Amino acid sequence: MADNQIFIFDTTLRDGEQVPGCKLNTKEKIELALALESLGVDIIEAGFPISSPGDFESVSEISKIIKNATVCGLSRAVQKDIEVAGDALKHATRGRIHTGIGTSDSHIKSKFNSNREEILLRAVQAVKWARNYTDNVEFYAEDAGRTDNEYLARVVEAVIAAGATTVNIPDTTGYCLPHQYGEKIAYLINHVKDVDKAVLSCHCHNDLGLATANSIAGAFAGARQIECTINGLGERAGNTALEEVVMVLRQHADLGLYTNIDQTQLNPMSKLVSDTMRMPVQPNKAIVGANAFSHSSGIHQDGFLKDAQTYEIIRPEEVGAETSKIVLTARSGRSALAYRFKNLGFEFNRNDIDVLYDRFLQAADSLKEVQDGDLKKIAHQYTEQTN
Ligand code: KIV
Ligand code: ZN
């Protein structure tokens, strides 16, 4: 295992599936799990087995089918949850139990009516129960983002001593700033005895739009697993988007961190998840949105047509997207218009384009986007008049 590999833990089928309207049946979950495995994710969180008989079945069936990725089931720090998760994972080639408890004072007092010492004991007990089923145990310190670092370090040290092999540091409420989240991971690395016996994991929510930035800050500080979802789906504002972290690490190879993901499958995977979960992707979504490789303003189009790198840091084919688009709107320029005419088989000289551009602008002011059909009409009228 190379030190600089970032393990990709995909939770589309668990945190992502919690999105209202995104519920999946077992057949759909299996189809997505197979696609995630082919994409190259290291760990698939397949569900929360105790939550419903359907989810138990999904985790169990996925465990039988997936051979290369680790299959993970979620549980609370409750004996029955852990037993059921262990049972759902019993056929897995590589199974992992993900168990945990809230560690922030807010969770300790309001959710559990408890105190720090008791929660620490419950955390340790949960890991010990999980170790009865597998030696691959991940512990989550829920709301770690708002947990006091000194106490968090005590919890992390205790669960590692109890046998946790991965420790998840969730920014459950998406509260942290990137430098704070990075400092939290660095604090744990510097203060937890035997921290190198476990992989630290980032699980960041997007309530302030910082989930990807926080996960990257965590990895930069030494975490080696990132928990994420396709299209950034997840509770409330969602989780870290898998496609974003993968491409950040590829674009910034100088960080020296890498993943096993085949990035050419990112767009097909996004579409598969969107279609299966019946959840459209916002057009301006990084990497996988419909506009991620569209150029619409005249200045950008002119630069792009001279050299794509002026306005694109990723080639669409690198991430399995369709070719870049030159979209024609009232903000577009002459070079884009000439380019689109040429693609339609019309060769016009500079003077022609000057006249055609005025006609185009008249059409563009009344249409949101000028399409091929509109352009053909303009071109035919012009050639009839000038011949
Ligand atoms: O956001 C969170 O804290 C979670 C845990 C259950 C890992 O999803
Ligand atoms: Zn979460």
Side-chain angles (χ1 to χ4, degrees):
M1 181 210 323
D3 266 348
N4 289 340
Q5 180 177 350
I6 300 296
F7 296 107
I8 294 294
F9 176 115
D10 181 277
T11 183
T12 307
L13 304 182
R14 199 278 296 168
D15 220 321
E17 203 238 12
Q18 288 170 206
V19 173
C22 285
K23 163 103 184 51
L24 299 169
N25 60 36
T26 299
K27 191 168 159 281
E28 291 167 328
K29 275 200 166 189
I30 291 173
E31 188 192 357
L32 291 185
L34 287 167
L36 288 166
E37 181 173 51
S38 138
L39 179 69
V41 312
D42 300 289
I43 303 106
I44 298 171
E45 187 162 53
F48 184 5
I50 202 161
S51 65
S52 76
D55 226 31
F56 179 92
E57 184 193 46
S58 296
V59 176
S60 176
E61 293 306 313
I62 289 171
S63 296
K64 291 177 195 161
I65 290 169
I66 295 297
K67 297 286 174 242
N68 297 321
T70 295
V71 179
C72 177
L74 185 76
S75 70
R76 294 166 296 183
V78 171
Q79 192 166 13
K80 185 72 190 157
D81 278 37
I82 294 167
E83 269 171 35
V84 173
D87 195 20
L89 291 163
K90 70 178 177 225
H91 299 293
T93 308
R94 293 182 186 82
R96 173 182 295 183
I97 295 180
H98 189 191
T99 187
I101 196 161
T103 53
S104 66
D105 288 333
S106 154
H107 280 226
I108 292 174
K109 292 196 181 91
S110 309
K111 258 174 75 173
F112 301 115
N113 188 24
S114 185
N115 58 63
R116 287 183 176 187
E117 297 315 310
E118 197 179 282
I119 292 296
L120 195 141
L121 292 176
R122 284 173 68 176
V124 166
Q125 181 60 72
V127 171
K128 287 186 176 158
W129 282 325
R131 285 292 303 230
N132 291 332
Y133 297 90
T134 170
D135 56 8
N136 192 339
V137 174
E138 174 166 341
F139 175 82
Y140 64 86
E142 197 180 8
D143 204 16
R146 294 187 300 170
T147 300
D148 164 56
N149 281 349
E150 223 175 290
Y151 175 63
L152 185 61
R154 284 182 57 213
V155 174
V156 173
E157 189 165 305
V159 295
I160 292 175
T165 45
T166 303
V167 184
N168 180 6
I169 310 300
D171 186 19
T172 304
T173 57
Y175 174 74
C176 290
L177 294 171
H179 73 276
Q180 293 168 332
Y181 190 75
E183 280 163 16
K184 192 171 277 289
I185 298 293
Y187 182 91
L188 296 174
I189 288 174
N190 292 326
H191 291 85
V192 170
K193 184 166 157 261
D194 288 335
V195 72
D196 52 332
K197 289 198 173 144
V199 170
L200 294 186
S201 180
C202 311
H203 177 113
C204 298
H205 278 268
N206 207 28
D207 300 66
L208 293 173
L210 293 171
T212 298
N214 284 346
S215 297
I216 297 296
F220 192 58
R224 285 295 174 267
Q225 177 177 283
I226 292 181
E227 308 197 1
C228 44
T229 58
I230 303 294
N231 300 336
L233 292 169
E235 278 279 341
R236 306 182 308 282
N239 287 59
T240 302
L242 181 149
E243 59 277 8
E244 293 175 9
V245 282
V246 168
M247 291 315 292
V248 169
L249 297 182
R250 279 188 71 87
Q251 289 299 118
H252 291 273
D254 50 304
L255 292 176
L257 304 172
Y258 68 93
T259 72
N260 260 341
I261 299 295
D262 170 7
Q263 79 282 354
T264 63
Q265 294 186 38
L266 288 173
N267 269 270
M269 187 74 219
S270 160
K271 188 165 174 357
L272 179 66
V273 167
S274 167
D275 291 348
T276 313
M277 289 191 152
R278 301 157 288 273
M279 185 54 66
V281 177
Q282 71 191 65
N284 58 321
K285 171 81 190 58
I287 320 295
V288 295
N291 291 345
F293 301 99
S294 292
H295 305 276
S296 120
S297 95
I299 296 171
H300 288 215
Q301 290 172 332
D302 185 54
F304 173 80
L305 290 170
K306 286 174 176 149
D307 175 358
Q309 285 187 15
T310 53
Y311 287 99
E312 271 184 2
I313 58 165
I314 298 168
R315 284 175 299 117
E317 56 273 23
E318 251 183 274
V319 291
E322 286 171 18
T323 51
S324 309
K325 287 193 208 83
I326 293 288
V327 179
L328 291 180
T329 71
R331 305 292 155 260
S332 300
R334 284 173 174 72
S335 29
L337 183 64
Y339 168 84
R340 285 281 299 270
F341 273 137
K342 197 169 170 203
N343 280 357
L344 291 172
F346 300 101
E347 289 282 354
F348 292 119
N349 65 30
R350 246 190 130 79
N351 292 337
D352 295 329
I353 289 291
D354 280 342
V355 179
L356 284 161
Y357 186 65
D358 289 339
R359 297 186 185 183
F360 157 76
L361 279 184
Q362 278 172 20
D365 262 339
S366 59
L367 300 167
K368 277 200 163 69
E369 191 184 323
V370 180
Q371 309 284 355
D372 284 352
D374 308 309
L375 288 178
K376 281 184 195 160
K377 216 150 101 193
I378 295 172
H380 286 310
Q381 274 170 2
Y382 180 73
T383 28
E384 272 165 27
Q385 285 163 3
T386 47
N387 282 334

